[in-house]
Amino acid sequence: MTQRATVEELLSQHGRTHAEEAGIRMANTPMPLYQLLTLCLLFSVRIKADIAVAAAREVYAAGWRTPRAMAASSWQDRVDALGRAHYRRYDEGTATALGESAELVLDRYGGDLRKLRSAAHEDPDRIRELLREVPRIGPVGADIFCRESQEVWPELRPAFDRRALRAAAALGLPRTPEGLGRLVSSEDLPRLAAALVRAELSSPRS
């Protein structure tokens, strides 16, 4: 199988981004960028991907799609929303982190993560550093944010984290972000990154 055929199969089987699964319509506007940050925060603990996505959907359904709405919500309401998604063990700490992260985005960026991008001067490494200053967002959360937002922030392209690169190597695909980026259009970069991560997670070694 050629590399392009392997990529086509990956996209066909696994090429749905986490943002798509959570119902986020990605755009370079404040609301979807904040929704993505919230999703990344929910992924930043040891929990199954489908539960994190379900929790994000509950949070959005409650109306907390902006940092202002999130900050105005009560801690108990956030715990209850996470509980409805079976986001167990981490619900109380995550409810706190959701509130604290909303306050940080409001205080530092006026509720608009495009200002984080500007503060980083559109430098990918600096974007990751600033993301990691958000409560609960660590390297994994920052990687997910960059992987998914490369659709609307071109300076992040091609964004493939170590997990995606391990999967690529195991499948006989290029081992560098640049090499992988040459196999798909820029619009498909987030889908390929997501597909590779799913492939890595489903492998016997994971």
Side-chain angles (χ1 to χ4, degrees):
M1 185 181 291
T2 67
Q3 289 185 341
R4 290 192 183 277
T6 299
V7 166
E8 286 301 319
E9 186 172 333
L10 274 170
L11 292 176
S12 175
Q13 293 182 1
H14 304 294
R16 196 169 185 223
T17 66
H18 292 312
E20 286 178 298
E21 289 181 333
I24 303 170
R25 298 183 65 176
M26 281 307 302
N28 189 30
T29 54
M31 186 181 294
L33 291 170
Y34 177 69
Q35 286 180 285
L36 177 59
L37 184 72
T38 298
L39 179 62
C40 294
L41 187 154
L42 293 167
F43 266 106
S44 294
V45 296
R46 290 182 177 275
I47 202 157
K48 291 182 178 179
D50 59 341
I51 294 178
V53 169
R57 285 184 169 275
E58 284 290 341
V59 166
Y60 307 151
W64 309 325
R65 300 184 186 91
T66 67
R68 195 166 302 282
M70 184 70 78
S73 67
S74 75
W75 177 84
Q76 188 60 57
D77 283 344
R78 295 194 294 270
V79 169
D80 292 344
L82 295 172
R84 290 193 294 273
H86 307 290
Y87 195 95
R88 306 298 185 194
R89 292 176 55 202
Y90 304 103
D91 52 350
E92 294 186 356
T94 299
T96 299
L98 286 169
E100 291 176 347
S101 64
E103 294 287 357
L104 182 143
V105 173
L106 283 170
D107 293 345
R108 192 171 296 181
Y109 304 114
D112 186 350
L113 287 169
R114 294 176 300 181
K115 293 181 180 178
L116 178 151
R117 183 190 187 195
S118 296
H121 303 290
E122 300 187 13
D123 175 75
D125 290 337
R126 184 59 178 152
I127 287 173
R128 286 179 170 85
E129 288 176 6
L130 293 179
L131 286 169
R132 290 197 296 270
E133 293 178 5
V134 177
R136 185 63 72 78
I137 300 292
V140 171
D143 280 342
I144 294 171
F145 187 96
C146 292
R147 213 168 67 208
E148 303 258 333
S149 65
Q150 65 181 312
E151 177 181 349
V152 295
W153 288 1
E155 67 274 12
L156 296 173
R157 301 173 190 160
F160 293 91
D161 56 26
R162 284 179 293 180
R163 181 166 275 172
L165 294 176
R166 278 200 306 267
L171 292 168
L173 296 174
R175 298 170 181 235
T176 65
E178 294 74 20
L180 288 168
R182 287 191 285 269
L183 295 176
V184 293
S185 65
S186 58
E187 309 91 76
D188 279 336
L189 285 169
R191 295 180 60 227
L192 178 57
L196 285 166
V197 168
R198 287 193 178 91
E200 208 275 339
L201 287 172
S202 63
S203 71
R205 302 184 312 277
S206 298

